[in-house]
mmCIF file of all heavy atoms in Angstrom:
data_model
loop_
_atom_site.group_PDB
_atom_site.id
_atom_site.type_symbol
_atom_site.label_atom_id
_atom_site.label_comp_id
_atom_site.label_asym_id
_atom_site.label_seq_id
_atom_site.Cartn_x
_atom_site.Cartn_y
_atom_site.Cartn_z
ATOM 1 N N VAL A 8 159.119 66.631 -47.529
ATOM 2 C CA VAL A 8 160.132 67.247 -46.677
ATOM 3 C C VAL A 8 159.522 68.468 -45.849
ATOM 4 O O VAL A 8 158.559 69.050 -46.221
ATOM 5 C CB VAL A 8 161.350 67.704 -47.426
ATOM 6 C CG1 VAL A 8 162.009 66.567 -48.124
ATOM 7 C CG2 VAL A 8 160.877 68.801 -48.408
ATOM 8 N N TYR A 9 160.166 68.774 -44.733
ATOM 9 C CA TYR A 9 159.782 69.949 -43.982
ATOM 10 C C TYR A 9 160.826 71.105 -44.173
ATOM 11 O O TYR A 9 162.089 70.722 -44.208
ATOM 12 C CB TYR A 9 159.686 69.624 -42.376
ATOM 13 C CG TYR A 9 158.632 68.521 -42.133
ATOM 14 C CD1 TYR A 9 158.950 67.268 -42.136
ATOM 15 C CD2 TYR A 9 157.408 69.030 -42.023
ATOM 16 C CE1 TYR A 9 157.885 66.283 -41.858
ATOM 17 C CE2 TYR A 9 156.333 68.022 -41.726
ATOM 18 C CZ TYR A 9 156.603 66.792 -41.595
ATOM 19 O OH TYR A 9 155.582 65.865 -41.381
ATOM 20 N N ARG A 10 160.360 72.280 -44.224
ATOM 21 C CA ARG A 10 161.196 73.406 -44.443
ATOM 22 C C ARG A 10 160.861 74.438 -43.277
ATOM 23 O O ARG A 10 159.731 74.563 -42.913
ATOM 24 C CB ARG A 10 161.098 74.087 -45.763
ATOM 25 C CG ARG A 10 161.574 73.106 -46.856
ATOM 26 C CD ARG A 10 163.083 73.010 -46.890
ATOM 27 N NE ARG A 10 163.602 72.249 -48.068
ATOM 28 C CZ ARG A 10 164.178 70.992 -47.839
ATOM 29 N NH1 ARG A 10 164.231 70.522 -46.681
ATOM 30 N NH2 ARG A 10 164.571 70.419 -48.843
ATOM 31 N N LEU A 11 161.888 75.250 -42.863
ATOM 32 C CA LEU A 11 161.759 76.270 -41.929
ATOM 33 C C LEU A 11 162.206 77.599 -42.532
ATOM 34 O O LEU A 11 163.211 77.619 -43.345
ATOM 35 C CB LEU A 11 162.454 75.996 -40.623
ATOM 36 C CG LEU A 11 161.935 74.770 -39.871
ATOM 37 C CD1 LEU A 11 162.657 73.452 -40.278
ATOM 38 C CD2 LEU A 11 162.202 75.037 -38.412
ATOM 39 N N LYS A 12 161.538 78.647 -42.238
ATOM 40 C CA LYS A 12 162.039 79.985 -42.639
ATOM 41 C C LYS A 12 163.196 80.315 -41.794
ATOM 42 O O LYS A 12 163.132 80.287 -40.555
ATOM 43 C CB LYS A 12 160.959 81.043 -42.483
ATOM 44 C CG LYS A 12 159.835 80.859 -43.492
ATOM 45 C CD LYS A 12 158.751 82.033 -43.261
ATOM 46 C CE LYS A 12 157.489 81.774 -44.018
ATOM 47 N NZ LYS A 12 156.544 82.856 -43.763
ATOM 48 N N ALA A 13 164.224 80.845 -42.395
ATOM 49 C CA ALA A 13 165.465 81.212 -41.621
ATOM 50 C C ALA A 13 165.045 82.357 -40.543
ATOM 51 O O ALA A 13 165.482 82.382 -39.466
ATOM 52 C CB ALA A 13 166.518 81.696 -42.500
ATOM 53 N N ALA A 14 164.168 83.300 -40.960
ATOM 54 C CA ALA A 14 163.704 84.293 -40.056
ATOM 55 C C ALA A 14 162.948 83.762 -38.857
ATOM 56 O O ALA A 14 163.141 84.318 -37.847
ATOM 57 C CB ALA A 14 162.841 85.242 -40.838
ATOM 58 N N ASP A 15 162.221 82.661 -39.005
ATOM 59 C CA ASP A 15 161.462 82.069 -37.939
ATOM 60 C C ASP A 15 162.502 81.431 -36.922
ATOM 61 O O ASP A 15 162.358 81.495 -35.712
ATOM 62 C CB ASP A 15 160.539 81.020 -38.373
ATOM 63 C CG ASP A 15 159.310 81.605 -39.003
ATOM 64 O OD1 ASP A 15 159.021 82.828 -38.856
ATOM 65 O OD2 ASP A 15 158.609 80.846 -39.812
ATOM 66 N N VAL A 16 163.588 80.791 -37.468
ATOM 67 C CA VAL A 16 164.606 80.208 -36.602
ATOM 68 C C VAL A 16 165.322 81.298 -35.887
ATOM 69 O O VAL A 16 165.607 81.178 -34.702
ATOM 70 C CB VAL A 16 165.626 79.409 -37.490
ATOM 71 C CG1 VAL A 16 166.735 78.879 -36.666
ATOM 72 C CG2 VAL A 16 164.876 78.182 -38.101
ATOM 73 N N ASP A 17 165.716 82.423 -36.553
ATOM 74 C CA ASP A 17 166.365 83.471 -35.897
ATOM 75 C C ASP A 17 165.478 84.047 -34.856
ATOM 76 O O ASP A 17 165.899 84.429 -33.726
ATOM 77 C CB ASP A 17 166.778 84.542 -36.933
ATOM 78 C CG ASP A 17 167.914 84.166 -37.895
ATOM 79 O OD1 ASP A 17 168.621 83.123 -37.476
ATOM 80 O OD2 ASP A 17 168.013 84.627 -38.965
ATOM 81 N N ASP A 18 164.172 84.250 -35.079
ATOM 82 C CA ASP A 18 163.214 84.770 -34.195
ATOM 83 C C ASP A 18 163.113 83.908 -32.891
ATOM 84 O O ASP A 18 163.135 84.411 -31.766
ATOM 85 C CB ASP A 18 161.793 84.860 -34.760
ATOM 86 C CG ASP A 18 160.804 85.459 -33.766
ATOM 87 O OD1 ASP A 18 161.028 86.497 -33.264
ATOM 88 O OD2 ASP A 18 159.734 84.731 -33.531
ATOM 89 N N TYR A 19 163.161 82.549 -33.084
ATOM 90 C CA TYR A 19 163.133 81.596 -31.981
ATOM 91 C C TYR A 19 164.346 81.858 -31.107
ATOM 92 O O TYR A 19 164.340 81.849 -29.838
ATOM 93 C CB TYR A 19 163.166 80.148 -32.538
ATOM 94 C CG TYR A 19 163.313 79.180 -31.384
ATOM 95 C CD1 TYR A 19 162.167 78.728 -30.664
ATOM 96 C CD2 TYR A 19 164.543 78.633 -31.027
ATOM 97 C CE1 TYR A 19 162.303 77.792 -29.652
ATOM 98 C CE2 TYR A 19 164.591 77.659 -30.073
ATOM 99 C CZ TYR A 19 163.544 77.282 -29.380
ATOM 100 O OH TYR A 19 163.682 76.425 -28.296
ATOM 101 N N LEU A 20 165.572 82.060 -31.739
ATOM 102 C CA LEU A 20 166.794 82.322 -30.989
ATOM 103 C C LEU A 20 166.661 83.567 -30.185
ATOM 104 O O LEU A 20 167.060 83.570 -28.983
ATOM 105 C CB LEU A 20 167.988 82.443 -31.942
ATOM 106 C CG LEU A 20 168.575 81.196 -32.478
ATOM 107 C CD1 LEU A 20 169.516 81.473 -33.613
ATOM 108 C CD2 LEU A 20 169.130 80.303 -31.463
ATOM 109 N N GLU A 21 166.159 84.565 -30.666
ATOM 110 C CA GLU A 21 166.010 85.841 -30.030
ATOM 111 C C GLU A 21 164.988 85.758 -28.782
ATOM 112 O O GLU A 21 165.284 86.362 -27.789
ATOM 113 C CB GLU A 21 165.594 86.975 -30.903
ATOM 114 C CG GLU A 21 166.659 87.536 -31.719
ATOM 115 C CD GLU A 21 167.933 88.062 -30.838
ATOM 116 O OE1 GLU A 21 167.732 88.806 -29.978
ATOM 117 O OE2 GLU A 21 169.077 87.645 -31.244
ATOM 118 N N ARG A 22 163.911 84.988 -29.020
ATOM 119 C CA ARG A 22 162.939 84.839 -28.050
ATOM 120 C C ARG A 22 163.471 84.123 -26.780
ATOM 121 O O ARG A 22 162.971 84.224 -25.648
ATOM 122 C CB ARG A 22 161.662 84.073 -28.540
ATOM 123 C CG ARG A 22 160.738 85.057 -29.366
ATOM 124 C CD ARG A 22 159.457 84.375 -29.744
ATOM 125 N NE ARG A 22 159.721 83.359 -30.826
ATOM 126 C CZ ARG A 22 159.387 82.142 -30.772
ATOM 127 N NH1 ARG A 22 158.633 81.640 -29.786
ATOM 128 N NH2 ARG A 22 159.630 81.297 -31.794
ATOM 129 N N HIS A 23 164.453 83.287 -26.997
ATOM 130 C CA HIS A 23 165.041 82.445 -25.896
ATOM 131 C C HIS A 23 166.403 82.998 -25.436
ATOM 132 O O HIS A 23 167.189 82.260 -24.844
ATOM 133 C CB HIS A 23 165.176 80.987 -26.403
ATOM 134 C CG HIS A 23 163.819 80.415 -26.585
ATOM 135 N ND1 HIS A 23 163.011 80.542 -27.628
ATOM 136 C CD2 HIS A 23 163.097 79.644 -25.671
ATOM 137 C CE1 HIS A 23 161.873 79.906 -27.434
ATOM 138 N NE2 HIS A 23 161.861 79.325 -26.281
ATOM 139 N N ARG A 24 166.701 84.182 -25.818
ATOM 140 C CA ARG A 24 167.926 84.798 -25.362
ATOM 141 C C ARG A 24 167.892 84.983 -23.819
ATOM 142 O O ARG A 24 166.910 85.476 -23.322
ATOM 143 C CB ARG A 24 168.074 86.175 -26.047
ATOM 144 C CG ARG A 24 169.377 86.882 -25.757
ATOM 145 C CD ARG A 24 169.363 88.155 -26.453
ATOM 146 N NE ARG A 24 170.740 88.559 -26.572
ATOM 147 C CZ ARG A 24 171.286 89.573 -27.254
ATOM 148 N NH1 ARG A 24 170.455 90.200 -28.098
ATOM 149 N NH2 ARG A 24 172.470 89.899 -27.246
ATOM 150 N N ILE A 25 169.042 84.707 -23.194
ATOM 151 C CA ILE A 25 169.064 84.831 -21.813
ATOM 152 C C ILE A 25 169.629 86.294 -21.416
ATOM 153 O O ILE A 25 170.744 86.619 -21.906
ATOM 154 C CB ILE A 25 169.995 83.841 -21.137
ATOM 155 C CG1 ILE A 25 169.253 82.403 -21.393
ATOM 156 C CG2 ILE A 25 170.131 84.022 -19.633
ATOM 157 C CD1 ILE A 25 170.127 81.251 -20.980
ATOM 158 N N LEU A 26 168.963 87.007 -20.596
ATOM 159 C CA LEU A 26 169.446 88.356 -20.280
ATOM 160 C C LEU A 26 170.155 88.320 -19.006
ATOM 161 O O LEU A 26 170.046 87.395 -18.168
ATOM 162 C CB LEU A 26 168.274 89.233 -20.072
ATOM 163 C CG LEU A 26 167.285 89.397 -21.341
ATOM 164 C CD1 LEU A 26 166.045 90.257 -21.047
ATOM 165 C CD2 LEU A 26 168.150 90.075 -22.515
ATOM 166 N N PRO A 27 171.087 89.357 -18.777
ATOM 167 C CA PRO A 27 171.820 89.370 -17.551
ATOM 168 C C PRO A 27 170.953 89.277 -16.258
ATOM 169 O O PRO A 27 169.877 89.942 -16.296
ATOM 170 C CB PRO A 27 172.552 90.670 -17.589
ATOM 171 C CG PRO A 27 172.651 91.064 -19.096
ATOM 172 C CD PRO A 27 171.389 90.391 -19.618
ATOM 173 N N GLY A 28 171.287 88.450 -15.318
ATOM 174 C CA GLY A 28 170.507 88.373 -14.179
ATOM 175 C C GLY A 28 169.566 87.187 -14.158
ATOM 176 O O GLY A 28 169.011 86.758 -13.120
ATOM 177 N N GLU A 29 169.292 86.630 -15.294
ATOM 178 C CA GLU A 29 168.284 85.544 -15.420
ATOM 179 C C GLU A 29 168.708 84.217 -14.830
ATOM 180 O O GLU A 29 167.960 83.352 -14.519
ATOM 181 C CB GLU A 29 167.745 85.288 -16.773
ATOM 182 C CG GLU A 29 166.891 86.443 -17.366
ATOM 183 C CD GLU A 29 166.238 86.193 -18.696
ATOM 184 O OE1 GLU A 29 166.853 85.385 -19.407
ATOM 185 O OE2 GLU A 29 165.287 86.857 -18.990
ATOM 186 N N LEU A 30 170.016 84.093 -14.638
ATOM 187 C CA LEU A 30 170.594 82.838 -14.104
ATOM 188 C C LEU A 30 170.988 82.984 -12.613
ATOM 189 O O LEU A 30 171.682 82.117 -12.124
ATOM 190 C CB LEU A 30 171.710 82.312 -14.950
ATOM 191 C CG LEU A 30 171.443 82.085 -16.437
ATOM 192 C CD1 LEU A 30 172.653 81.663 -17.177
ATOM 193 C CD2 LEU A 30 170.327 81.051 -16.573
ATOM 194 N N ASP A 31 170.610 84.083 -11.987
ATOM 195 C CA ASP A 31 171.021 84.219 -10.595
ATOM 196 C C ASP A 31 170.609 83.080 -9.676
ATOM 197 O O ASP A 31 171.244 82.759 -8.664
ATOM 198 C CB ASP A 31 170.481 85.533 -9.981
ATOM 199 C CG ASP A 31 171.217 86.739 -10.522
ATOM 200 O OD1 ASP A 31 172.304 86.623 -11.081
ATOM 201 O OD2 ASP A 31 170.639 87.872 -10.383
ATOM 202 N N HIS A 32 169.530 82.493 -9.961
ATOM 203 C CA HIS A 32 168.976 81.323 -9.168
ATOM 204 C C HIS A 32 170.020 80.127 -9.148
ATOM 205 O O HIS A 32 169.943 79.301 -8.323
ATOM 206 C CB HIS A 32 167.605 80.859 -9.675
ATOM 207 C CG HIS A 32 167.642 80.282 -11.052
ATOM 208 N ND1 HIS A 32 167.666 80.997 -12.184
ATOM 209 C CD2 HIS A 32 167.669 78.957 -11.440
ATOM 210 C CE1 HIS A 32 167.764 80.195 -13.220
ATOM 211 N NE2 HIS A 32 167.651 79.017 -12.836
ATOM 212 N N LEU A 33 170.904 80.029 -10.112
ATOM 213 C CA LEU A 33 171.891 78.991 -10.221
ATOM 214 C C LEU A 33 173.025 79.196 -9.256
ATOM 215 O O LEU A 33 173.847 78.347 -9.076
ATOM 216 C CB LEU A 33 172.377 78.898 -11.599
ATOM 217 C CG LEU A 33 171.353 78.486 -12.683
ATOM 218 C CD1 LEU A 33 172.029 78.505 -14.088
ATOM 219 C CD2 LEU A 33 170.679 77.092 -12.369
ATOM 220 N N TYR A 34 173.124 80.549 -8.717
ATOM 221 C CA TYR A 34 174.269 80.840 -7.899
ATOM 222 C C TYR A 34 173.840 81.434 -6.563
ATOM 223 O O TYR A 34 174.097 82.521 -6.250
ATOM 224 C CB TYR A 34 175.136 81.821 -8.579
ATOM 225 C CG TYR A 34 175.669 81.354 -9.946
ATOM 226 C CD1 TYR A 34 175.058 81.794 -11.109
ATOM 227 C CD2 TYR A 34 176.726 80.467 -9.979
ATOM 228 C CE1 TYR A 34 175.469 81.261 -12.329
ATOM 229 C CE2 TYR A 34 177.083 79.984 -11.207
ATOM 230 C CZ TYR A 34 176.538 80.467 -12.325
ATOM 231 O OH TYR A 34 176.944 79.904 -13.593
ATOM 232 N N PRO A 35 173.087 80.577 -5.731
ATOM 233 C CA PRO A 35 172.597 81.083 -4.397
ATOM 234 C C PRO A 35 173.795 81.474 -3.452
ATOM 235 O O PRO A 35 173.650 82.334 -2.604
ATOM 236 C CB PRO A 35 171.776 79.989 -3.862
ATOM 237 C CG PRO A 35 172.244 78.834 -4.604
ATOM 238 C CD PRO A 35 172.695 79.244 -5.919
ATOM 239 N N GLU A 36 174.870 80.858 -3.620
ATOM 240 C CA GLU A 36 175.964 81.142 -2.745
ATOM 241 C C GLU A 36 176.588 82.458 -2.972
ATOM 242 O O GLU A 36 177.135 83.092 -2.005
ATOM 243 C CB GLU A 36 177.136 80.063 -2.834
ATOM 244 C CG GLU A 36 177.882 80.014 -4.097
ATOM 245 C CD GLU A 36 177.133 79.207 -5.235
ATOM 246 O OE1 GLU A 36 176.073 78.649 -4.908
ATOM 247 O OE2 GLU A 36 177.606 79.231 -6.395
ATOM 248 N N ARG A 37 176.471 82.945 -4.178
ATOM 249 C CA ARG A 37 176.958 84.281 -4.495
ATOM 250 C C ARG A 37 176.156 85.339 -3.773
ATOM 251 O O ARG A 37 176.730 86.306 -3.254
ATOM 252 C CB ARG A 37 176.973 84.538 -6.045
ATOM 253 C CG ARG A 37 177.517 85.970 -6.283
ATOM 254 C CD ARG A 37 177.390 86.217 -7.811
ATOM 255 N NE ARG A 37 178.565 85.568 -8.496
ATOM 256 C CZ ARG A 37 178.729 85.526 -9.700
ATOM 257 N NH1 ARG A 37 177.815 85.982 -10.594
ATOM 258 N NH2 ARG A 37 179.778 84.872 -10.310
ATOM 259 N N LYS A 38 174.855 85.118 -3.772
ATOM 260 C CA LYS A 38 173.970 86.114 -3.082
ATOM 261 C C LYS A 38 174.261 86.112 -1.624
ATOM 262 O O LYS A 38 174.358 87.251 -1.003
ATOM 263 C CB LYS A 38 172.490 85.710 -3.305
ATOM 264 C CG LYS A 38 171.960 85.968 -4.675
ATOM 265 C CD LYS A 38 170.560 85.560 -4.692
ATOM 266 C CE LYS A 38 170.032 85.660 -6.174
ATOM 267 N NZ LYS A 38 168.565 85.267 -6.248
ATOM 268 N N ARG A 39 174.536 84.956 -1.000
ATOM 269 C CA ARG A 39 174.866 84.948 0.392
ATOM 270 C C ARG A 39 176.209 85.657 0.705
ATOM 271 O O ARG A 39 176.264 86.426 1.703
ATOM 272 C CB ARG A 39 174.930 83.511 0.921
ATOM 273 C CG ARG A 39 173.543 82.931 1.220
ATOM 274 C CD ARG A 39 173.626 81.544 1.915
ATOM 275 N NE ARG A 39 173.082 80.654 0.906
ATOM 276 C CZ ARG A 39 173.665 79.561 0.404
ATOM 277 N NH1 ARG A 39 174.832 79.220 0.838
ATOM 278 N NH2 ARG A 39 173.053 78.858 -0.435
ATOM 279 N N SER A 40 177.223 85.391 -0.170
ATOM 280 C CA SER A 40 178.538 86.052 0.105
ATOM 281 C C SER A 40 178.499 87.511 -0.121
ATOM 282 O O SER A 40 179.082 88.243 0.542
ATOM 283 C CB SER A 40 179.586 85.375 -0.711
ATOM 284 O OG SER A 40 179.361 85.610 -2.096
#
Protein backbone atom coordinates (compact mmCIF):
# COMPACT_ATOMS: atom_id res chain seq x y z
CA VAL A 1 0.00 0.00 0.00
CA TYR A 2 0.94 3.65 -0.42
CA ARG A 3 0.69 6.16 2.40
CA LEU A 4 1.01 9.92 2.49
CA LYS A 5 1.87 12.19 5.38
CA ALA A 6 -1.05 14.46 6.23
CA ALA A 7 1.45 17.34 6.56
CA ASP A 8 2.63 16.75 2.96
CA VAL A 9 -0.95 16.81 1.69
CA ASP A 10 -1.63 20.03 3.62
CA ASP A 11 1.61 21.54 2.26
CA TYR A 12 0.51 20.67 -1.28
CA LEU A 13 -2.77 22.49 -0.66
CA GLU A 14 -0.99 25.61 0.58
CA ARG A 15 1.47 25.63 -2.35
CA HIS A 16 -1.46 25.62 -4.77
CA ARG A 17 -3.49 28.27 -3.01
CA ILE A 18 -4.82 30.93 -5.36
CA LEU A 19 -4.16 34.48 -4.24
CA PRO A 20 -6.35 37.48 -5.04
CA GLY A 21 -5.72 38.74 -8.55
CA GLU A 22 -4.30 35.48 -9.93
CA LEU A 23 -7.44 34.81 -11.94
CA ASP A 24 -7.70 38.23 -13.59
CA HIS A 25 -6.79 36.65 -16.93
CA LEU A 26 -10.15 34.86 -16.83
CA TYR A 27 -12.06 38.16 -16.83
CA PRO A 28 -10.65 40.35 -19.64
CA GLU A 29 -14.02 42.10 -20.05
CA ARG A 30 -13.79 43.40 -16.48
CA LYS A 31 -10.47 45.09 -17.26
CA ARG A 32 -11.96 46.76 -20.35
CA SER A 33 -15.05 48.00 -18.49
